Amino acid sequence: MNSSTRPSPELLLPVGTREMLEAAVANGADAVYFGVPHWNARGRTEDFSFDDVYDMIRYARLRGVRTFLAMNVLVFERELRELPEFLEKIISLEPDAFIIQDIGLARLIRAIAPTQEIHASTQMTLASAEAVNLVAGIGFNRAVLARELSLKEIARIKEATPLELEVFIHGALCVSYSGQCLTSENFGGRSANRGQCAQSCRLPYRIFVDGKEFRDTDAQFLFSPHDLCALPKLNELEEIGVDSLKVEGRLKSPEYVAAVAKAYRKALNRIPLDGKDMEPLEVLFSRGLRAGWLDGDNHQELVDGTFSNHHGLYLGTVAKVERGCVIVGLDDSLVDGSNCADDFAAGMGPRPGDGILFENAALGVSIGSRLYASQVTHLPHTKRGDPKYLRLEFGRDFNTRQIATGMKVYRNDSPALEKELRKTFTDREQAKRIPVNMELSGKIGSLLKLAVYDVPRNRIEVESDTVLEASRNGDAGDKLRDLAQKELSGLSATAYSLRNLEVNVERGAFIPGKLLRTLRQKAIELLDAKRCEWKELNPSAIAGRALLNSVKFGKTATPSTAGNAANARPVISVLVRSPEQVAALEGLDIDNIIMDFDWGVKYDESLQQIRELGFKAGMATLRIHKPGESHYLKNILRLCPDFALVRNLGALSILKESGIPLTGDYSLNAANSLNYDWLLSQGLQTLHPSWDLNSTQLFDLLGDIDGSRMELTLHQYMPAFHSEYCAFARALTSGRRFPECGKICTLHKVEILDHKGERHFLQSDAECRNTLFVGKPQSALKLLPELQKAGVSHFRLEMLQEDAETVHRKALIYTQAIRGKVSIAEAIRLAGVEEKYGLSEGQLFNESVWQDRKKA
């Protein structure tokens, strides 16, 4: 399909309030998405009621805009049991689709309403066609791709899947893969997989290299990316055939939504953008607009490192400071061409009342004030063609002596600009309306008829209650057209405007204005209803409960684990991250060793060594699978280990028919029995639960599944985030990507100091992706007796950077505890002694529930 015949992609806008909905619709959105009541994955936004949702769906559908309900969080077992009736009710409101992260929830919705459209959230970490096609079998209609994909990678996925694809084009970028971030939970007890992200990545961090603080970098905000703006990439995304273009920002303002929708609608309509379109995108909220990963990895461009908050539009640097005013040397991007002064005079520059920010990031100085006046100027003795300057004047209460030459200057607020944008969705005169045609017809002695139809042609017809009578005033008929035009065009309180009116009424008929108004009102109500008609969904909570019960009561042990699982001999696996750690496990009473090696490390010799030690050898897949990255999986197929630890859905799709025994990792985010059931049905022998579960939620899950098929890690350094972005390259080199970085990650040990004074380990994987591991490891030894009673017999220990001697001592302590040779209390004491930064019980023992601070 060529570009002239290909349908334009859908423009999808975020909604956190009713005003944001109106702003999106008024400025060109094709679809909007907002949170499900009580399940809103943006904990700080307004929680809509069911009546709100019904009204918003109707408001949007009437205007030809689709509505998607975001329920993109993990669902715990106890919650899952309570959902069928809730889902029946919310589906009855007739949303166009649900955006879903949890596989179990997706299955439940499909059971309750088989024709309900569902979209796979970006929280599912779908980064390859294999992953997308695997979840298509669940019934997903669309996949929201991971934001870390380049245009080339998106194109390869599009070519290989029949599912609709949705891509983020504007807004905040997460440094971690969505669905794989445990930073907020580890650092603050608030799970990003539950919509409670505290944006820990936006905090300042200090870097330690080989034990010493590294000061030769300006990247204090090492994990805070620029915001995404794909306006320059829209044509390429359209050429690829992306079905939906998504804007992030349910926590932003209605004015922000209006500005973004307006700019992207204009671009999609092939209307050239100008400075006035781009101005609000920067001023209202921006941490610097970049193309993100759409052009591939560029670690220097992705993260500025000197700030993490909204800065707005960059104006330039301070050239001179005077009493009450500051002279700013304008940035080249603002003076490109000779019309700088004209543009600023036309209202594109700073206006009185705007917020101005002065900053020296190196010194940690940030000063703001409201603007009194501004004008383009020149410094004395400048010549034609010299740089242009901006004179910023401030009130008497602002001490300009705080400002120094060289400071960066930003425009980060504009009440005047917000007022203009607000008019686009509050001023009835500016409202975009659906044009309708009307036909008024009738004869004396018959009923008066009014037909109304829109484009596409939804036609309705209404009649008067009484027949027409002849006019007693002979000239009344001559005024009928004017009267009809006046009364029938009164549509300002509706979604319509009158485009054309045909009057075919017998001359001499008497028609009062009140009758015309009544017919118009009845006609508009019917046209509203017709435009809001929706397909029959017939949701059934009973069908949902039947699915839940089939899984709960159908749980059975596999042949290999049949019998009394509670008395089964525990299976102990140790995950190692270097070949040197393998030999340290010789002679220990363990069963399996899982290899999870860094970039360039060979597996062949270690695989043979493990088998010679008498253990089964496993290989871990990477946590992400992207187009063109199957070479790592081919290596697993070539070496044919005794089993593979599967960490992503793409790898599961590729390996499920290989004949190699498979076990699933926590990164698959199994949090409930329906999720567990489906993942195990894809060929996994055992499965690790999501680390979002605490102990209560874990045992709720174990009550409804076969515990012999669960594996749990008793010791590990918890992963905070997993990122395509390489902090090694950004902070320690000038390299944009591999191999410009010189493989710096293989040469040094890097630790990150957080705002609480705790250190964490930064590690790269075989595809140069970074994982930040929490420096204080988590131990689940206290749960061991209860886990064994629940039938769990597969346990894992994970090593990170430990030397061989430490690996041996740690594994010995845990193995003796699992085998019952030392008490749990003694093992915990000994394990704590081994840790550099102490030992933690982690999320498993966190029983607190974060309280939403939502607007009522």
Side-chain angles (χ1 to χ4, degrees):
M1 185 183 293
N2 61 48
S3 58
S4 62
T5 58
R6 181 185 298 115
S8 181
E10 167 188 274
L11 179 59
L12 176 59
L13 272 295
V15 167
T17 65
R18 175 59 185 251
E19 278 197 328
M20 290 172 73
L21 169 66
E22 295 170 0
V25 171
N27 286 280
D30 297 305
V32 296
Y33 64 101
F34 49 93
V36 170
H38 317 305
W39 288 91
N40 190 351
R42 288 294 180 270
R44 289 173 286 157
T45 63
E46 181 178 331
D47 202 356
F48 301 117
S49 68
F50 279 86
D51 288 340
D52 291 335
V53 172
Y54 175 78
D55 289 341
M56 291 166 75
I57 290 172
R58 184 178 174 84
Y59 177 90
R61 184 166 290 145
L62 179 60
R63 292 159 177 79
V65 174
R66 301 181 76 200
T67 52
F68 306 149
L69 293 185
M71 202 169 173
N72 50 333
V73 293
L74 296 183
V75 179
F76 303 141
E77 187 66 15
R78 195 174 299 180
E79 297 168 333
L80 192 72
R81 296 281 161 190
E82 299 170 354
L83 272 179
E85 287 74 21
F86 175 88
L87 289 172
E88 180 183 79
K89 184 177 180 181
I90 197 74
I91 291 170
S92 297
L93 301 181
E94 302 178 346
D96 289 84
F98 284 86
I99 305 172
I100 303 296
Q101 174 185 11
D102 192 290
I103 289 172
L105 175 60
R107 294 182 68 198
L108 188 58
I109 289 176
R110 275 297 190 182
I112 292 171
T115 58
Q116 174 64 61
E117 186 171 327
I118 55 175
H119 298 171
S121 168
T122 191
Q123 292 284 123
M124 288 187 72
T125 326
L126 301 176
S128 69
E130 289 85 353
V132 171
N133 291 333
L134 183 66
V135 301
I138 299 170
F140 284 105
N141 307 87
R142 175 186 292 184
V144 187
L145 295 179
R147 282 173 270 198
E148 290 77 3
L149 294 166
S150 68
L151 290 167
K152 291 180 180 179
E153 290 165 337
I154 293 170
R156 291 183 63 174
I157 295 173
K158 182 63 179 177
E159 291 170 357
T161 180
L163 255 65
E164 293 181 5
L165 297 184
E166 183 173 301
V167 172
F168 277 91
I169 56 165
H170 198 92
L173 275 179
C174 296
V175 75
S176 174
Y177 272 94
S178 294
Q180 301 299 310
C181 184
L182 297 170
T183 316
S184 183
E185 180 170 301
N186 276 309
F187 294 175
R190 292 168 51 175
S191 170
N193 282 324
R194 297 279 290 177
Q196 300 163 0
C197 177
Q199 295 190 328
S200 302
C201 55
R202 300 285 181 179
L203 297 173
Y205 293 90
R206 291 160 62 188
I207 308 168
F208 288 78
V209 178
D210 300 328
K212 296 181 179 180
E213 184 167 6
F214 183 74
R215 298 180 179 274
D216 297 336
T217 179
D218 58 354
Q220 182 184 15
F221 297 94
L222 184 59
F223 304 113
S224 180
H226 286 295
D227 288 345
L228 172 65
C229 177
L231 277 169
K233 308 295 178 183
L234 282 192
N235 288 342
E236 292 169 86
L237 287 166
E238 287 191 81
E239 286 296 324
I240 290 170
V242 169
D243 300 277
S244 181
L245 305 174
K246 187 172 194 171
V247 175
E248 179 277 337
R250 280 189 278 159
L251 293 174
K252 303 293 198 312
S253 68
E255 293 80 7
Y256 172 89
V257 169
V260 177
K262 192 175 182 182
Y264 280 89
R265 180 79 275 155
K266 190 173 179 180
L268 288 170
N269 290 345
R270 303 290 191 274
I271 302 172
L273 299 181
D274 55 30
K276 276 210 165 188
D277 299 307
M278 297 302 298
E279 179 189 20
L281 302 188
E282 296 256 30
V283 174
L284 294 188
F285 192 94
S286 167
R287 288 175 285 225
L289 300 179
R290 302 291 187 275
W293 280 282
L294 291 175
D295 284 330
D297 291 341
N298 186 336
H299 306 304
Q300 305 299 332
E301 178 80 5
L302 184 76
V303 170
D304 178 279
T306 63
F307 62 86
S308 67
N309 57 336
H310 164 54
H311 268 45
L313 178 65
Y314 178 59
L315 296 178
T317 57
V318 174
K320 186 179 180 182
V321 180
E322 299 176 354
R323 185 175 181 180
C325 74
V326 177
I327 309 298
V328 178
L330 287 170
D331 183 60
D332 290 343
S333 63
L334 298 176
V335 293
D336 185 18
S338 59
N339 61 344
C340 171
D342 295 336
D343 286 346
F344 273 64
M348 285 175 53
R351 314 179 196 185
D354 282 2
I356 304 296
L357 175 69
F358 299 93
E359 186 170 80
N360 184 328
L363 298 178
V365 177
S366 186
I367 303 167
S369 182
R370 291 285 174 187
L371 184 66
Y372 179 76
S374 70
Q375 66 180 72
V376 176
T377 186
H378 295 272
L379 290 180
H381 313 298
T382 55
K383 301 177 182 178
R384 183 179 179 84
D386 281 353
K388 293 185 174 64
Y389 294 86
L390 183 65
R391 181 185 178 88
L392 303 177
E393 298 181 20
F394 299 93
R396 294 179 180 178
D397 58 339
F398 182 60
N399 183 7
T400 56
R401 286 181 293 181
Q402 303 172 88
I403 309 304
T405 57
M407 293 180 76
K408 291 184 176 182
V409 186
Y410 301 85
R411 179 185 173 208
N412 66 353
D413 181 36
S414 178
L417 195 55
E418 290 188 18
K419 184 177 180 180
E420 290 175 10
L421 287 165
R422 191 168 185 79
K423 286 181 181 178
T424 65
F425 58 92
T426 59
D427 187 346
R428 284 187 177 182
E429 298 301 318
Q430 293 190 37
K432 293 183 179 179
R433 302 186 182 278
I434 303 160
V436 295
N437 300 312
M438 294 187 181
E439 298 171 1
L440 185 69
S441 60
K443 295 182 178 180
I444 297 173
S446 300
L447 299 177
L448 182 64
K449 298 179 181 179
L450 176 64
V452 181
Y453 59 92
D454 61 7
V455 179
R457 194 170 176 128
N458 294 307
R459 183 183 176 92
I460 58 89
E461 190 173 286
V462 295
E463 296 178 333
S464 61
D465 295 331
T466 58
V467 300
L468 289 179
E469 298 180 357
S471 172
R472 297 177 183 178
N473 186 343
D475 63 351
D478 298 332
K479 299 179 180 179
L480 177 58
R481 168 165 287 280
D482 292 340
L483 177 66
Q485 181 72 36
K486 174 186 175 183
E487 297 295 351
L488 297 180
S489 63
L491 300 170
S492 62
T494 74
Y496 310 102
S497 63
L498 180 59
R499 179 169 58 184
N500 184 56
L501 172 64
E502 291 185 22
V503 178
N504 298 305
V505 178
E506 183 178 349
R507 189 175 183 83
F510 171 67
I511 303 177
K514 182 178 180 180
L515 176 60
L516 292 174
R517 292 193 296 273
T518 300
L519 288 179
R520 182 197 71 206
Q521 183 178 358
K522 289 168 61 178
I524 292 304
E525 287 177 356
L526 288 176
L527 184 58
D528 282 354
K530 191 169 188 64
R531 288 183 64 86
C532 288
E533 286 178 357
W534 191 236
K535 60 187 178 184
E536 289 291 331
L537 292 171
N538 299 316
S540 169
I542 295 174
R545 292 225 163 270
L547 174 64
L548 287 169
N549 290 334
S550 70
V551 172
K552 180 176 182 178
F553 298 114
K555 62 175 184 174
T556 56
T558 59
S560 62
T561 58
N564 190 347
N567 296 321
R569 182 181 186 276
V571 176
I572 303 174
S573 301
V574 180
L575 183 143
V576 296
R577 288 191 165 90
S578 71
E580 294 74 24
Q581 293 176 336
V582 172
L585 298 171
E586 181 177 2
L588 295 180
D589 189 9
I590 65 172
D591 301 278
N592 308 316
I593 297 179
I594 306 167
M595 295 173 286
D596 184 18
F597 295 159
D598 201 350
W599 187 90
V601 179
K602 301 292 185 182
Y603 280 80
D604 308 56
E605 293 182 4
S606 294
L607 180 68
Q608 183 62 30
Q609 182 185 11
I610 292 169
R611 287 171 172 166
E612 288 175 356
L613 291 174
F615 307 129
K616 287 186 178 180
M619 291 177 65
T621 73
L622 299 179
R623 207 157 155 190
I624 302 296
H625 176 248
K626 294 175 71 174
E629 291 186 0
S630 293
H631 52 278
Y632 193 84
L633 298 174
K634 290 177 181 177
N635 195 34
I636 292 177
L637 293 171
R638 177 182 67 84
L639 293 173
C640 199
D642 298 307
F643 66 97
L645 177 63
V646 177
R647 288 172 164 163
N648 65 76
L649 293 171
L652 179 57
S653 176
I654 292 171
L655 295 177
K656 62 186 292 189
E657 304 297 338
S658 67
I660 299 172
L662 306 177
T663 180
D665 209 357
Y666 58 82
S667 50
L668 296 176
N669 278 328
N672 57 65
S673 56
L674 286 183
N675 198 330
Y676 241 83
D677 176 69
W678 185 84
L679 286 167
L680 290 174
S681 75
Q682 301 305 302
L684 299 177
Q685 293 188 350
T686 60
L687 177 59
H688 197 294
S690 166
W691 277 128
D692 279 273
L693 301 175
N694 64 24
S695 59
T696 298
Q697 294 150 354
L698 178 66
F699 285 107
D700 284 344
L701 174 60
L702 279 167
D704 287 344
I705 66 169
D706 177 6
S708 68
R709 300 190 70 180
M710 175 185 283
E711 180 183 31
L712 193 77
T713 301
L714 296 182
H715 171 90
Q716 75 160 339
Y717 293 88
M718 288 290 289
F721 60 69
H722 186 68
S723 179
E724 190 75 18
Y725 158 72
C726 181
F728 288 97
R730 168 61 184 89
L732 307 183
T733 79
S734 59
R736 296 170 298 171
R737 60 184 67 89
F738 174 82
E740 295 175 18
C741 61
K743 296 187 291 184
I744 192 71
C745 58
T746 64
L747 305 177
H748 302 282
K749 286 189 176 182
V750 172
E751 294 176 324
I752 304 298
L753 184 74
D754 69 16
H755 61 291
K756 295 180 179 178
E758 297 180 354
R759 293 197 189 192
H760 313 287
F761 304 110
L762 191 66
Q763 187 112 347
S764 63
D765 71 6
E767 285 293 344
C768 297
R769 298 186 184 105
N770 284 188
T771 303
L772 186 68
F773 290 94
V774 177
K776 185 181 292 185
Q778 171 178 296
S779 175
L781 272 174
K782 279 187 180 179
L783 294 180
L784 181 58
E786 292 180 74
L787 289 167
Q788 291 177 319
K789 286 179 183 178
V792 180
S793 58
H794 292 77
F795 301 102
R796 192 193 311 167
L797 314 173
E798 291 197 1
M799 304 300 162
L800 190 60
Q801 298 178 348
E802 298 94 333
D803 58 31
E805 184 179 349
T806 305
V807 167
H808 183 88
R809 290 199 305 266
K810 282 188 182 181
L812 178 61
I813 292 167
Y814 280 88
T815 300
Q816 288 180 327
I818 296 169
R819 301 296 185 209
K821 296 180 179 179
V822 299
S823 69
I824 300 299
E826 179 64 7
I828 292 174
R829 185 188 69 79
L830 293 172
V833 171
E834 291 295 327
E835 300 305 334
K836 183 177 181 181
Y837 299 128
L839 192 66
S840 168
E841 293 182 338
Q843 171 64 11
L844 278 171
F845 296 89
N846 179 15
E847 297 294 333
S848 63
V849 177
W850 180 68
Q851 297 297 316
D852 292 349
R853 298 291 186 265
K854 295 179 180 176
K855 298 176 182 176

